[in-house]
């Protein structure tokens, strides 16, 4: 197994910097470890190159793109049995108010913004949220009803600081999309939890404790990788 | 009878030639007994009501069109353009990486990473590809985000601008020609062949007027696909083979009798009186593919 990462990791496995990997033609199971997998960023190109080489790679380019587009994330998650809420993808405030009662959660459907979502509790805040997150109506937004409380947390290989339903969602999202490091947005409501969105982590949000989880998971995956590469 | 949704945005109707082509699609579909509805962004939630989705709005993994394509695909509908084609054709780095792997004849290309912005690398590129070179952002479409540079200073300026959005850029040899071939391919069959002429004194089919915000486009000549050179059609089909079975527009340059691929585009332009001029059956072939 080959680990491609810019992060300082303590592992005995072969490791490469993304810039070196992009020029290489190394074959084998590839773990692309980055905090930012946004489309057009280095994390994305590493997975593209690995796939073109014919390598099995985590995460796949398809997962990278789909997980960052909230409507697709929710569609694929609900198909995989992860609890989600009804959503609407649109650029029209009128359509949102017709379909949902306030308050609502508005997510950007563009992978540029780090700042995830906005909560709108009246018409004027909804106008502001839609205008801002749609980048002046260039992109659509994804709207979900707000029935409980929003919870945002780091998910490292599906592991998080929460237990119960929330931890289950974190694990299932990793099983479905295989994004090693990300931030998840979940809504909790009367002991139930619903997946709302996913966004990249900033490098400064990754601590030493997270890197310990990463090292353990790399070891576990290397065993799986040996099996996959044969 | 199939129910076909055509995903469009308002700008698709701003050019009368494109609006007429869209109307032709509707007319041909209706004549074959199919339902053909234009679907705008506000009606995306109606996708499950249809059997097929035909995307005419500009595609890119960042745009709403990708979400429409992927949603339809996940729901098991027939889609043009399918999400995988959008993903590959929408990113020229992905495209050229595949061309390298499958030995598709294409313009000599090197990739430039964000951390390679140094004098030695620029010299290497000029040495390999000669001067000038063409710097291409991976998300280029309609001749935008492609610039010619002949010195390190302008190379740095252009690269710095494109690196704001993408961490990798494509740099290509400059191959001036009077026209680019455009071969339309559907499901591994040639649909139409055109010549996209360069405007006088320019090197791209579409370019900005100096000091003005408007674009000037070269003329388009349509050829009967049976009369187009066989070598050209074979190269176009070879390039599409590495991507998929969808609808593509392959740009090809003819240099010293050799055909080299410039790029493969998903969601190719279809304007009434241009691409369809000598191949009127293209509307029917696309509708039949969607309804099949």
């Amino acid at each position: 197994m080959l680990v491609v990462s810019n992060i300082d990791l303590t592992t005995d496995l072969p490791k490469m910097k993304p810039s070196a990997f992009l020029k290489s033609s190394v074959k084998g199971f590839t773990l692309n470890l980055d905090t930012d997998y946004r489309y057009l960023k280095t994390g994305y190109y590493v997975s593209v190159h690995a796939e073109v080489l014919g390598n099995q790679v985590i995460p796949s380019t398809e997962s990278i793109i789909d997980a960052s587009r909230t409507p697709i994330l929710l569609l694929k998650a609900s198909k995989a049995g992860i609890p989600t809420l009804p959503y609407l993808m649109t650029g029209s405030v009128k359509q949102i108010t017709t379909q949902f009662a306030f308050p609502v959660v508005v997510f950007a459907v563009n992978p540029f913004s780090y700042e995830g979502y906005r909560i709108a509790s009246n018409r004027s805040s909804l106008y502001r949220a839609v205008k801002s997150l749609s980048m002046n109506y260039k992109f659509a937004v994804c709207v979900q009803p707000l029935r409980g409380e929003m919870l945002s947390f780091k998910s490292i290989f599906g592991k998080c600081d929460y237990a119960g339903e929330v931890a289950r969602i974190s694990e299932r999202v990793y099983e479905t999309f295989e994004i090693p490091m990300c931030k998840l947005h979940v809504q909790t409501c009367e002991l139930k939890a619903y997946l709302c969105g996913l966004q990249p982590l900033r490098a400064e949000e990754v601590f030493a404790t997270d890197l310990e989880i990463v090292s353990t998971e790399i070891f576990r995956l290397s065993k799986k990788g040996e099996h996959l590469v044969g | 009878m199939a129910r076909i949704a055509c995903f469009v945005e308002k700008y698709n109707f701003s050019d009368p030639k494109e609006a007429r082509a869209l109307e032709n699609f509707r007319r041909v579909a209706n004549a074959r007994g199919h339902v053909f509805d234009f679907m705008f962004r506000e009606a995306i939630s109606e996708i499950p009501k249809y059997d097929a989705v035909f995307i005419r709005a500009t595609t890119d993994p960042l745009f709403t069109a990708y979400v429409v394509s992927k949603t339809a695909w996940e729901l098991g509908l027939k889609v043009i353009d399918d999400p995988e084609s959008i993903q590959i054709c929408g990113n020229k780095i992905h495209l050229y990486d595949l061309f390298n792997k499958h030995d598709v004849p294409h313009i000599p290309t090197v990739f430039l990473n964000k951390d390679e912005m140094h004098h030695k690398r620029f010299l290497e590129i000029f040495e390999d590809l000669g001067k000038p070179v063409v710097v291409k952002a991976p998300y280029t479409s309609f001749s935008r985000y492609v610039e010619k540079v002949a010195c390190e200073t302008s190379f740095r300026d252009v690269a710095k601008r494109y690196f704001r959005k993408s961490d990798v850029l494509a740099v290509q040899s400059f191959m001036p020609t009077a026209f680019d071939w455009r071969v339309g391919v559907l499901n591994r069959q040639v649909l139409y062949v055109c010549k996209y002429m360069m405007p006088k004194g320019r090197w791209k089919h579409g370019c900005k007027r100096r000091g003005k915000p408007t674009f000037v486009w070269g003329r388009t000549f349509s050829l009967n696909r049976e009369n187009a050179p066989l070598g050209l059609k074979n190269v176009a089909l070879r390039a599409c083979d590495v991507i998929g079975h969808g609808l593509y527009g392959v740009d090809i340059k003819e240099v010293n009798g050799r055909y080299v691929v410039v790029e493969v585009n998903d969601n190719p332009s279809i304007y009434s009186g241009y691409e369809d001029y000598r191949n009127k059956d293209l509307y029917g072939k696309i509708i039949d593919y969607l309804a099949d």
Side-chain angles (χ1 to χ4, degrees), chain B residues 4 13 22 34 53 58 71 76 84 87 91 103 121 129 151 165 173 176 208 224 241 256-257 280 282 290:
Chain B
I4 302 167
F13 295 92
L22 288 169
H34 307 306
V53 175
T58 308
T71 307
E84 201 182 344
Q87 194 189 324
N91 190 311
D103 286 328
R121 182 69 181 137
L129 304 178
C151 67
K165 209 164 154 189
S173 290
K208 222 176 137 205
N224 193 324
D241 272 353
N256 303 327
K280 297 281 184 206
L282 71 88
L290 283 164

Side-chain angles (χ1 to χ4, degrees), chain B residues 5-73:
Chain B
C6 180
F7 179 68
V8 283
E9 302 256 23
K10 281 174 197 156
Y11 56 75
N12 288 111
F13 295 92
S14 56
D15 188 315
K17 287 190 174 66
E18 191 178 7
R20 245 189 338 262
L22 288 169
E23 202 42 57
N24 288 344
F25 276 114
R26 173 150 56 184
R27 193 174 39 77
V28 170
N30 291 345
R32 283 165 154 75
H34 307 306
V35 173
F36 189 92
D37 295 335
F38 292 119
M39 183 173 71
F40 287 86
R41 196 185 281 188
E42 286 67 34
I44 290 172
S45 52
E46 289 170 17
I47 291 175
K49 291 182 191 166
Y50 292 92
D51 302 311
V53 175
F54 181 37
I55 296 173
R56 284 283 82 201
T58 308
T59 53
D60 185 291
L62 299 180
F63 294 172
T64 310
Y66 178 80
V67 180
V68 171
S69 170
K70 188 73 189 193
T71 307
W73 186 262

Side-chain angles (χ1 to χ4, degrees), chain B residues 39-285:
Chain B
M39 183 173 71
F40 287 86
R41 196 185 281 188
E42 286 67 34
I44 290 172
S45 52
E46 289 170 17
I47 291 175
K49 291 182 191 166
Y50 292 92
D51 302 311
V53 175
F54 181 37
I55 296 173
R56 284 283 82 201
T58 308
T59 53
D60 185 291
L62 299 180
F63 294 172
T64 310
Y66 178 80
V67 180
V68 171
S69 170
K70 188 73 189 193
T71 307
W73 186 262
E74 287 288 331
L75 294 171
L77 274 61
K78 194 138 193 190
V79 198
I80 292 179
D81 307 290
D82 63 280
E84 201 182 344
S85 297
I86 297 177
Q87 194 189 324
I88 297 172
C89 299
N91 190 311
K92 304 304 172 209
I93 304 297
H94 199 160
L95 188 71
Y96 294 126
D97 216 358
L98 278 171
F99 285 172
N100 285 336
K101 186 188 174 186
H102 296 281
D103 286 328
V104 175
H106 64 283
I107 295 187
T109 307
V110 293
F111 299 144
L112 182 71
N113 295 341
K114 207 173 190 176
D115 53 6
E116 288 180 327
M117 283 268 278
H118 50 78
H119 178 66
K120 202 179 148 196
R121 182 69 181 137
F122 288 127
L123 284 184
E124 265 174 26
I125 291 174
F126 281 133
E127 208 167 287
D128 288 351
L129 304 178
K131 275 186 188 177
V133 293
V134 173
V135 185
K136 200 177 243 186
Y139 44 88
T140 168
S141 65
F142 297 106
S143 302
R144 288 169 303 176
Y145 310 111
V146 182
E147 284 179 56
K148 185 176 68 172
V149 295
C151 67
E152 192 180 326
T153 315
S154 48
F155 198 158
R156 272 180 192 277
D157 281 350
V158 173
K160 210 172 151 189
R161 226 172 329 117
Y162 293 167
F163 276 138
R164 276 188 219 145
K165 209 164 154 189
S166 174
D167 284 357
V168 185
L169 305 178
V171 186
Q172 299 185 312
S173 290
F174 177 58
M175 290 182 166
T177 48
F179 63 88
D180 277 358
W181 289 101
R182 163 60 68 100
V183 184
V185 175
L186 174 70
N187 195 20
R188 298 186 176 172
Q189 284 181 336
V190 174
L191 201 59
Y192 62 87
V193 179
C194 290
K195 280 181 181 179
Y196 282 174
M197 308 301 290
M198 309 300 166
K200 199 177 172 190
R202 309 298 177 104
W203 61 278
K204 289 193 288 185
H205 179 56
C207 28
K208 222 176 137 205
R209 281 181 207 274
R210 198 159 294 180
K212 289 181 182 170
T214 49
F215 247 64
V216 55
W217 294 96
R219 288 186 295 170
T220 301
F221 292 114
S222 179
L223 268 84
N224 193 324
R225 62 177 172 264
E226 278 79 33
N227 298 340
L230 190 65
L232 172 81
K233 289 189 275 191
N234 286 341
V235 168
L237 293 173
R238 224 175 121 191
C240 294
D241 272 353
V242 304
I243 301 165
H245 298 257
L247 174 65
Y248 308 105
V250 190
D251 290 339
I252 294 175
K253 277 191 187 291
E254 191 177 344
V255 185
N256 303 327
R258 271 187 71 234
Y259 296 106
V260 286
V261 179
V262 180
E263 59 188 39
V264 179
N265 300 285
D266 62 313
N267 196 8
S269 310
I270 298 176
Y271 284 25
S272 174
Y274 287 169
E275 284 80 3
D276 66 351
Y277 191 67
R278 303 247 178 227
N279 301 283
K280 297 281 184 206
D281 59 350
L282 71 88
Y283 298 105
K285 282 181 181 278

Side-chain angles (χ1 to χ4, degrees), chain A residues 19 23 39-42 45 49 52 61-62 65-66 69 72 76 79 89 95 111-112 137-139, chain B residues 41-42 61-62 64 66-67 70 74 87 90-91 93-94 97 101 115-116 138 165-168:
Chain A
S19 51
K23 292 189 185 312
Y39 180 63
L40 297 177
K41 299 295 168 195
T42 305
Y45 285 117
H49 190 57
V52 170
T61 51
E62 189 191 353
I65 294 180
D66 293 353
R69 322 304 308 275
I72 303 172
K76 286 181 96 172
K79 270 177 92 175
M89 186 182 150
Q95 205 181 355
F112 297 115
Y137 305 105
K138 191 178 173 193
F139 298 95
Chain B
R41 196 185 281 188
E42 286 67 34
L62 299 180
T64 310
Y66 178 80
V67 180
K70 188 73 189 193
E74 287 288 331
Q87 194 189 324
N91 190 311
I93 304 297
H94 199 160
D97 216 358
K101 186 188 174 186
D115 53 6
E116 288 180 327
K165 209 164 154 189
S166 174
D167 284 357
V168 185

Side-chain angles (χ1 to χ4, degrees), chain A residues 42-61:
Chain A
T42 305
Y44 176 75
Y45 285 117
V46 168
S47 287
V48 167
H49 190 57
E51 281 178 6
V52 170
L53 289 173
N55 296 356
Q56 175 148 6
V57 60
I58 289 181
S60 68
T61 51

